[in-house]
Amino acid sequence: MSESTLGRDTPQVTARAKVLGRAQYAGDIKVAGMLHGKVLRSPYPSARIVRIDTSAARALPGVKAVVTGEDTPRTPWGVHHKERHILAKGRVRFAGEEVAAVAAVSEEIARDALDLIEIDYEETPALLTPEAALAAPGLHEGRDNVAHEIRFERGNVDAGFASAHLVHEETYTTHAQYPGYLEPMATVAMVDADGRLQVWTSTQSVFLARARLASALELPVSRVRVIQATVGGGFGGKLVEDANNLIAGLLALKTGKPVRLVNNRLEDFLACCSSLPERITLRLGMDREGMIVAKDVRIVAECGAYSGLSNEVMHVSAMRSDNMHRLRNVRSHATLVYTNNPPHGAFRGFGGTQMLFALNSHIHTMAEQLGLDPVQIHQRNAIGRGETSVHGWKVGSTGLLECIDQCTEAIGWAAKRARPADSGARRRGVGMAAAMHVSGNRTIGNWDGSTVVLRINEDGRALLLSGEADMGQGAMTMLSQVVAHELDIPLAHVHVSTPDTDSAPFCIGSLASRVTMAAGNAAIVAARLARDKLFALATEQLGVAVDTLEMAGGLVRVRENPAQQRTLAELARLHIWRHGGEGILVTGSWDAQTEMHDDQVFGNIAPAYSFAAQAVEVEVDTETGRVTVLDSFVSDDCGKAFNPLAVHGQSNGAAAQAISWTLYEQLQLEEGRLVNGNFADYNMATADALPTLRSGIVESNDPNGPYGAKGASETAILPGAPAIANAVYDAVGVRITDLPITPQKVLAALRALTRPEGATHA
């Protein structure tokens, strides 16, 4: 095939529009008569709403609507627990919760109107820690403060520990991370000429957004149309947990006018769910050779005021990493707790980052106690291709061992671990970690597939309709590559339409690293159906058998006699202009042959599993406590790299986020109120805080993946934190178990080394 870009560095098909400023984000959309929305948020983490007076705001010239909880539908919204209203009714449960909203002819008037709304609150005691919440009455009426609980046991865990040569237990804490995307949440909503609610929004799933809008606003789904605007990053934060498009839709319905609602950065910090904080107590038993013979996990996670997707995030923390190893004895007990802090939820890595920090730190500690290299423990315990894990996951492909070899060789692992320990103020160390993730996930319901519609236009070019979301990760490019490869046409001859619930087939969207697996396979099905139609017509035109034909550079031709040919354009036109003709329009669907887990969370829930490993070198300044990452290499098993340029971009972007979470980022709350909700005060890693990021690709060629591909967006974020923590230990001999790794914690741990008891934890 002459035109295929598969396996070649390929710029994203959306890149030109973005760099020229032509890409249309939700905040860029303008509609005649458009109003501007603004939201009033609670200043208290816990309070009863005694009185709201909106009369002065309503009287302000230019104000077209003022709405409160009393103006919203009775139906609460949420993922599993329907517990939240579009605007607070009767009480507020976190500082930043949406209490009232206005729509006005300008943003300035809308802001002025917010200042005129009078609200009397009766502040009530706030529950700001899981410990306080577990000992107190429920934040939500009719239930306690346990939002979700997971318990399971496989094998005989107690017997496993009894047989172990070494048992180690430690508690680790992880903190929340804001997604940090460039584009804050934004929506334009309007009532169209047919009385339907039409919404342009920054979202990772137009169909999940439509379902939530319809439910919360008490509308039939067919009365709601959602169009995905260009998305300036999502990282899980733009899935189904924010209220931005719900409030915009409510204001549009109340006014009958288009309404634009764009968060400023502080509003986005308050409205977007940050990642789930967890306290993880991990107990592992190993034999003399480092084989894990028993594992016991206890997790207390804090979802904040509303649970959102935190149930699923904690589920991942509680069990996913078990499947990376050949385990037989595993026990887990995880508890999700409500507090009066801002909500937490989905974030890139989706619960894997938390548990893999604990697990990889633990493995490094136990390796030292056994006199082994931690690489050996990872290699000896790694699950293999064709094996079934303790939870019933069937591993069709794995490049974990290759990832470990690649990243450790790239960092100079053996030589750097063998060098003499530094004795000066600045000391260097190396660390590594390994990880796994899913490529798809049959847990939303009994379908984990995708559907695409492919049309061959009269000029021989292709139009693809898909509901899967491109949020910057390259979904449109991947789909274009697949269709171009199958039809052997230039990439520029394929156009992927913007996801639109009115025209696109139903799709789940961008989550669980599923788009390449599900939509890529569906696109192959559709492209081959289109090819069959082209071949069928070409056989009539050329008078040859179908098995003699091939696609070649925009032609259908006879393989042994290339001069016998028809262009795709000729065939597409002829397919219409004949008796009984029609345009070439095909639908391709693909559903993973997986199974939903049972009530004991057992079952093969994903069609493929991705693996990664990372090795880093750090320098620790023992006088200041500062940790600097000098070198990083992350290896990503993506099955097959359609576009190496994009895979490296995803891997290095993930590594940057992991370094930032580990060393720099921390949401600061004072009495439940966020005090660093802006990029000036919220400390994220900038270019000068990062090394030259390096990455490698391992191709394990999954049997279920399109051309062997798996997801390549999330796995690479998982090993960063433990790799850095392990490197800090290697450099200065202190084990930091509480993220982030700050200079203060490092100095405190170094001081503890000099005490008689030799305490080393921080």
Side-chain angles (χ1 to χ4, degrees):
M1 292 200 176
S2 59
E3 299 289 351
S4 180
T5 63
L6 289 183
R8 292 162 40 193
D9 288 347
T10 304
Q12 291 202 18
V13 297
T14 58
R16 183 176 178 82
K18 290 177 180 178
V19 299
L20 293 176
R22 295 175 181 171
Q24 199 166 48
Y25 298 84
D28 298 327
I29 293 169
K30 294 179 174 61
V31 183
M34 185 173 72
L35 303 175
H36 298 269
K38 287 293 176 184
V39 176
L40 185 64
R41 299 174 184 275
S42 167
Y44 300 108
S46 178
R48 190 169 65 87
I49 301 172
V50 178
R51 182 184 69 94
I52 302 180
D53 185 349
T54 62
S55 57
R58 294 177 192 275
L60 185 66
V63 172
K64 301 302 180 183
V66 182
V67 293
T68 69
E70 298 306 312
D71 303 301
T72 63
R74 293 170 297 175
T75 304
W77 63 276
V79 181
H80 288 291
H81 300 308
K82 308 301 181 185
E83 58 195 5
R84 188 171 178 179
H85 289 90
I86 299 174
L87 298 170
K89 286 179 180 283
R91 66 175 298 110
V92 291
R93 295 179 173 86
F94 71 95
E97 184 165 7
E98 300 86 353
V99 178
V102 301
V105 296
S106 71
E107 288 194 54
E108 293 76 13
I109 293 173
R111 280 195 295 266
D112 290 343
L114 292 184
D115 293 336
L116 296 175
I117 299 174
E118 296 180 10
I119 305 180
D120 293 336
Y121 294 97
E122 179 186 306
E123 193 172 2
T124 53
L127 304 173
L128 302 178
T129 66
E131 293 77 17
L134 288 171
L139 273 68
H140 299 276
E141 291 75 13
R143 61 177 309 167
D144 60 20
N145 287 321
V146 175
H148 188 56
E149 195 167 14
I150 298 167
R151 289 178 184 267
F152 62 79
E153 182 169 353
R154 310 262 193 259
N156 190 329
V157 177
D158 293 334
F161 280 119
S163 71
H165 172 70
L166 174 65
V167 176
H168 178 62
E169 180 173 319
E170 184 59 80
T171 296
Y172 303 84
T173 57
T174 63
H175 61 303
Q177 183 177 18
Y178 171 67
Y181 37 58
L182 288 176
E183 177 214 20
M185 296 175 193
T187 302
V188 172
M190 64 175 284
V191 179
D192 67 16
D194 296 321
R196 302 165 74 227
L197 181 63
Q198 183 167 308
V199 177
W200 294 267
T201 191
S202 186
T203 180
Q204 294 175 220
S205 173
V206 291
F207 283 96
L208 294 183
R210 182 182 71 167
R212 187 176 53 141
L213 280 158
S215 175
L217 294 170
E218 297 180 345
L219 297 170
V221 291
S222 297
R223 303 296 293 170
V224 180
R225 178 187 184 189
V226 177
I227 304 164
Q228 187 201 33
T230 303
V231 177
F235 308 116
K238 295 177 179 176
L239 200 49
V240 291
E241 295 176 291
D242 69 283
N244 181 274
N245 52 42
L246 300 180
I247 296 171
L250 175 66
L251 289 170
L253 291 171
K254 292 293 184 183
T255 62
K257 299 281 189 180
V259 176
R260 174 182 181 267
L261 182 62
V262 179
N263 288 353
N264 63 31
R265 189 55 66 175
L266 173 58
E267 290 171 327
D268 209 82
F269 266 89
L270 293 170
C272 176
C273 287
S274 53
S275 63
L276 188 67
E278 296 182 7
R279 184 177 71 248
I280 301 166
T281 300
L282 174 62
R283 188 171 183 238
L284 280 187
M286 291 184 185
D287 66 16
R288 293 179 185 276
E289 284 70 46
M291 295 300 296
I292 302 171
V293 295
K295 182 179 183 181
D296 192 327
V297 178
R298 284 164 285 150
I299 298 172
V300 177
E302 180 212 338
C303 62
Y306 299 102
S307 61
L309 281 164
S310 294
N311 294 16
E312 285 85 354
V313 176
M314 186 179 73
H315 177 105
V316 168
S317 296
M319 68 173 296
R320 182 169 293 170
S321 67
D322 298 343
N323 302 280
M324 187 168 69
H325 297 140
R326 295 188 178 100
L327 303 181
R328 289 295 173 262
N329 305 306
V330 181
R331 180 166 56 216
S332 187
H333 179 199
T335 306
L336 182 67
V337 184
Y338 289 114
T339 67
N340 286 115
N341 291 319
H344 304 289
F347 189 93
R348 188 181 200 173
F350 207 82
T353 47
Q354 295 90 326
M355 187 62 214
L356 285 161
F357 168 63
L359 179 60
N360 280 282
S361 297
H362 225 68
I363 287 173
H364 190 284
T365 298
M366 296 182 76
E368 183 181 50
Q369 294 173 358
L370 290 170
L372 298 172
D373 189 316
V375 168
Q376 293 176 295
I377 292 186
H378 283 289
Q379 292 171 333
R380 291 172 184 178
N381 287 279
I383 196 166
R385 179 187 182 102
E387 295 183 30
T388 300
S389 77
V390 67
H391 297 307
W393 295 16
K394 299 174 182 177
V395 178
S397 66
T398 171
L400 179 56
L401 296 178
E402 292 85 349
C403 286
I404 292 171
D405 288 344
Q406 188 183 77
C407 74
T408 52
E409 288 173 13
I411 207 80
W413 177 261
K416 288 177 178 176
R417 278 179 58 84
R419 68 190 175 192
D422 295 330
S423 58
R426 296 184 177 183
R427 304 176 187 178
R428 294 188 175 190
V430 291
M432 59 81 59
M436 77 171 303
H437 195 62
V438 295
S439 289
N441 197 355
R442 188 179 290 266
T443 56
I444 292 178
N446 198 19
W447 186 62
D448 187 26
S450 188
T451 301
V452 301
V453 174
L454 178 62
R455 187 171 77 201
I456 307 299
N457 287 324
E458 297 92 311
D459 58 0
R461 300 189 179 204
L463 172 68
L464 190 144
L465 303 176
S466 170
E468 307 291 8
D470 194 320
M471 54 182 178
Q473 87 279 30
M476 288 184 172
T477 306
M478 178 274 297
L479 290 168
S480 297
Q481 286 184 279
V482 170
V483 172
H485 174 81
E486 288 292 329
L487 299 181
D488 199 31
I489 58 178
L491 194 68
H493 288 194
V494 182
H495 177 75
V496 181
S497 187
T498 298
D500 179 341
T501 57
D502 266 12
S503 57
F506 187 92
C507 290
I508 294 172
S510 288
L511 63 148
S513 295
R514 57 176 301 283
V515 173
T516 294
M517 174 64 65
N521 272 315
I524 291 173
V525 173
R528 290 176 181 175
L529 289 172
R531 183 188 62 190
D532 290 345
K533 286 182 175 288
L534 291 164
F535 278 6
L537 185 55
T539 59
E540 298 176 14
Q541 293 292 301
L542 300 174
V544 297
V546 69
D547 59 3
T548 67
L549 298 174
E550 66 177 1
M551 310 289 292
L555 301 170
V556 175
R557 67 186 186 189
V558 178
R559 190 176 299 106
E560 302 300 328
N561 184 13
Q564 283 187 275
Q565 60 181 242
R566 292 290 187 272
T567 68
L568 265 61
E570 290 173 322
L571 293 170
R573 289 194 295 270
L574 185 57
H575 208 275
I576 299 170
W577 299 105
R578 57 177 181 158
H579 280 293
E582 61 177 1
I584 298 178
L585 183 72
V586 297
T587 298
S589 291
W590 184 87
D591 183 26
Q593 297 301 302
T594 52
E595 58 191 77
M596 291 189 71
H597 58 65
D598 59 22
D599 59 0
Q600 298 299 310
V601 292
F602 186 90
N604 186 40
I605 51 95
Y609 303 98
S610 299
F611 297 84
Q614 185 171 358
V616 302
E617 182 176 16
V618 305
E619 181 180 79
V620 181
D621 189 324
T622 59
E623 295 178 343
T624 66
R626 182 182 179 184
V627 177
T628 302
V629 180
L630 302 176
D631 195 9
S632 168
F633 194 99
V634 59
S635 297
D636 196 348
D637 166 25
C638 61
K640 168 69 178 176
F642 284 9
N643 185 356
L645 180 68
V647 175
H648 285 299
Q650 288 295 314
S651 298
N652 289 322
Q657 276 187 310
I659 293 169
S660 193
W661 180 56
T662 307
L663 298 178
Y664 301 104
E665 296 184 46
Q666 188 165 27
L667 292 164
Q668 300 289 344
L669 297 174
E670 293 182 2
E671 297 301 315
R673 297 174 177 89
L674 182 66
V675 297
N676 63 336
N678 58 73
F679 285 150
D681 298 320
Y682 182 74
N683 194 20
M684 297 178 71
T686 52
D688 60 349
L690 296 171
T692 298
L693 296 171
R694 301 189 292 144
S695 60
I697 294 170
V698 170
E699 295 186 323
S700 59
N701 292 302
D702 193 86
N704 295 320
Y707 316 118
K710 300 185 284 193
S713 294
E714 293 190 83
T715 321
I717 198 174
L718 304 175
I724 293 169
N726 290 336
V728 169
Y729 180 86
D730 186 54
V732 294
V734 297
R735 169 67 58 190
I736 307 297
T737 58
D738 174 28
L739 292 179
I741 301 174
T742 63
Q744 294 88 341
K745 292 175 186 176
V746 173
L747 289 176
L750 287 170
R751 286 193 298 269
L753 281 179
T754 64
R755 297 173 188 162
E757 64 271 21
T760 60
H761 291 166

